[in-house]
Amino acid sequence: MQSSINRYGLPPDPDELIAEGDPPFADAAEQTAREKADEILNALQHEVRLLNARIGMLREDAEAALKAKAASVDASAHVQLGEYPWLKLAAAIGATFIAATLVRRLPLGAMLAGFAGHFSEARPR
């Protein structure tokens, strides 16, 4: 409870008493359970809004980090493969596909016959 005279030598303002939590009148009723629950609810809603704002900031930071990583990977590809890295990569994949198709068309017996000499020489005596 505040004293009857403030530091300026004047009686306290009734609004100051209310701001400190003192009832404005001696016979004023205390807070009801409903009012206390409403205050707690308002405080929790405020916390939820703060948490949602923090989550939003984290999402933005994660998105910026992913974009920076993608730019870094793209720059690295340009350094390693030159001006058109994805075209060169597609050409290498295409050449591998053609080579695999040609190898599959060869008869298996002819390929094994070519290796038969190597197998017989590698066998221990």
Side-chain angles (χ1 to χ4, degrees), residues 18-68:
I18 293 171
E20 290 180 5
D22 293 338
F25 306 105
D27 58 348
E30 291 291 321
Q31 279 186 329
T32 63
R34 174 71 180 195
E35 290 170 341
K36 287 180 183 179
D38 286 342
E39 282 184 13
I40 292 171
L41 178 64
N42 289 337
L44 289 174
Q45 287 173 341
H46 180 70
E47 287 292 324
V48 167
R49 284 192 300 271
L50 288 175
L51 289 173
N52 282 333
R54 289 180 184 157
I55 289 172
M57 289 188 325
L58 289 174
R59 283 183 181 152
E60 290 173 2
D61 290 347
E63 183 179 330
L66 287 175
K67 286 181 181 179

Side-chain angles (χ1 to χ4, degrees), residues 2-3 12-13 17 21 25 29 35 37 46 58 62 65 75 84 86 93-95 105 109 116 121:
Q2 194 174 17
S3 66
D13 185 23
L17 295 175
F25 306 105
E35 290 170 341
H46 180 70
L58 289 174
Y84 298 101
W86 307 118
I93 291 171
R105 287 186 181 171
E121 291 176 10

